[in-house]
């Protein structure tokens, strides 16, 4: 009968679908293709941090970024790839720890502020005197610190700022620094001047402003201050340095993409270089001129 036949057909179709589902469920399923990047937080073992296991931007290469121009004493002759200057030497030492020869390191130009801005990065790590901070960690990862740094004040010899002996003496002068830096933060948060500080896109612009009398003094990290006064603005002097304002010193760290699988491995490399004395040796070679300066309190 027609109704009975339709019922039989429906029952048969249902049974067929059920059997197919069981068959598919029992059959071996293809695994998801492995990601080009390893899981972000597992890069602590020797095997995971081995060269062949690293999920770098380009297989077989390590892409390192810094700003242009590349300032001394961090880099030499404006050429990050020559291995000369403190940060160039540190970058290649880290690369070696990760298993990369110099020929396998590729340098890339990335503006200072862009290095730690939110968003996916085009480099494996950036090295550019970027201080580690809780605020910046919201957007990027950092390695452990590779250099303990102090900020310093530079003024033209004979200027009113040049005679400053304390923070109070700096409150009434016009100060400047590169935008987005801890140097500018020190002006705002430590000096707390009466006048709005000038912010510049590049240190070169801050130095020009100092030469032209547009500001009374500028703030930079101490090694840079020694280089500027010795080689670039020779009629300027280091007024003094700021003391550490927290329990831990300000440190420069290598910048990585937020959640990067490379972060634990790069940190491990930096820690190894500190432990075996490499960082101290490189610092002595390239930053030995950066001796003590008076502390401004």
């Amino acid at each position: 009968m027609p109704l009975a036949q339709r019922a039989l057909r429906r029952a048969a179709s249902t049974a067929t679908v059920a059997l197919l589902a069981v068959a598919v469920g029992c059959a071996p399923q293809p695994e998801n293709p492995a990601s080009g990047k390893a899981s972000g937080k597992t890069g602590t073992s020797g095997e995971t941090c081995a060269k062949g296991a690293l999920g770098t931007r380009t297989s077989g290469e390590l892409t390192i970024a810094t700003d242009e121009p590349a300032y001394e004493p961090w880099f030499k002759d404006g050429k990050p790839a020559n291995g000369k200057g403190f940060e160039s030497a540190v970058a290649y030492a880290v690369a070696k720890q990760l298993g990369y020869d110099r020929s396998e390191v590729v340098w890339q130009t990335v503006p200072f502020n862009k290095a730690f801005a939110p968003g996916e990065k085009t480099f494996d790590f950036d090295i550019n005197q970027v201080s580690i901070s809780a605020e910046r960690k919201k957007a990027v990862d950092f390695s452990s610190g590779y250099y303990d740094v102090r900020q310093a004040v530079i003024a033209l010899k004979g200027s009113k700022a040049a005679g400053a002996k304390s923070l109070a003496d700096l409150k009434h002068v016009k100060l400047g620094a590169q935008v987005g830096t801890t140097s500018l933060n020190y002006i705002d948060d430590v000096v707390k001047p009466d006048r709005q500080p000038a912010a510049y896109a590049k240190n070169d612009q801050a130095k020009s402003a100092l030469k032209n009398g547009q500001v009374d003094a500028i703030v930079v990290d101490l090694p840079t201050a020694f280089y500027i006064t010795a080689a670039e603005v020779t009629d300027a002097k280091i007024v003094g340095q700021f003391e550490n304002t927290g329990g831990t010193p300000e440190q420069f760290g290598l910048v990585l993409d937020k959640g990067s699988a490379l972060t634990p491995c790069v940190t491990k490399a930096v820690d190894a270089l500190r432990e075996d004395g490499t960082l101290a040796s490189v610092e002595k070679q390239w930053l030995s001129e950066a001796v003590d300066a008076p502390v401004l309190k």
Side-chain angles (χ1 to χ4, degrees):
M1 296 177 60
L3 288 174
Q5 289 173 352
R6 283 197 293 273
L8 286 170
R9 289 195 190 99
R10 282 198 298 272
S13 297
T14 301
T16 301
V17 169
L19 287 170
L20 285 171
V22 171
V24 170
C26 295
Q29 298 300 306
E31 295 181 0
N32 290 329
S35 171
K37 292 185 178 181
S39 175
K41 301 301 177 185
T42 59
T44 55
S45 71
E47 288 186 3
T48 308
C49 290
K51 176 182 174 182
L54 291 175
T56 54
R57 302 291 303 185
T58 302
S59 179
E61 294 181 349
L62 186 67
T63 302
I64 304 176
T66 196
D67 201 355
E68 187 179 19
Y71 299 107
E72 297 195 27
W74 310 106
F75 300 93
K76 186 73 173 173
D77 301 325
K79 299 176 181 178
N82 64 14
K84 299 177 181 180
F86 178 75
E87 289 193 326
S88 181
V90 168
Y92 281 116
V94 171
K96 184 177 180 181
Q97 282 286 327
L98 296 174
Y100 291 87
D101 296 330
R102 286 186 59 161
S103 61
E104 297 171 309
V105 172
V106 176
W107 285 90
Q108 184 183 99
T109 299
V110 173
F112 179 81
N113 286 333
K114 191 174 180 180
F116 51 86
E120 185 176 357
K121 306 307 174 192
T122 57
F123 49 78
D124 292 315
F125 69 77
D126 178 278
I127 183 167
N128 190 24
Q129 308 115 65
V130 182
S131 295
I132 301 168
S133 73
E135 183 64 28
R136 289 171 178 172
K137 281 184 176 180
K138 294 176 182 178
V140 295
D141 281 358
F142 281 96
S143 70
S144 53
Y146 62 87
Y147 179 70
D148 298 349
V149 66
R150 291 280 188 96
Q151 299 296 319
V153 180
I154 301 174
L156 293 180
K157 296 173 183 177
S159 68
K160 58 181 179 179
K165 302 296 182 184
S166 66
L167 296 177
D169 294 335
L170 294 172
K171 285 188 178 293
H172 310 299
V173 302
K174 181 69 173 179
L175 299 169
Q178 184 176 346
V179 69
T181 61
T182 52
S183 302
L184 188 58
N185 291 342
Y186 265 78
I187 295 175
D188 290 329
D189 302 335
V190 178
V191 179
K192 300 177 181 178
D194 296 336
R195 303 169 66 183
Q196 182 73 21
Y200 301 96
K202 300 276 188 180
N203 261 340
D204 278 347
Q205 295 172 354
K207 287 182 288 186
S208 295
L210 179 65
K211 288 180 181 179
N212 298 331
Q214 296 169 298
V215 292
D216 298 310
I218 61 173
V219 177
V220 295
D221 59 77
L222 188 57
T224 299
F226 274 96
Y227 181 76
I228 288 174
T229 54
E232 296 183 316
V233 190
T234 55
D235 57 342
K237 62 171 285 188
I238 297 175
V239 178
Q241 62 178 308
F242 296 109
E243 63 181 343
N244 179 29
T245 57
T248 56
E250 178 185 351
Q251 291 185 314
F252 292 157
L254 305 177
V255 182
L256 299 97
D257 206 354
K258 186 67 176 175
S260 171
L262 296 179
T263 302
C265 299
V266 173
T267 289
K268 183 178 179 181
V270 172
D271 291 344
L273 294 172
R274 184 178 292 277
E275 186 175 342
D276 69 12
T278 299
L279 290 181
S281 177
V282 173
E283 181 177 337
K284 183 178 180 181
Q285 179 181 2
W286 295 107
L287 303 181
S288 60
E289 296 300 319
V291 296
D292 288 337
V295 176
L296 300 168
K297 296 182 179 181

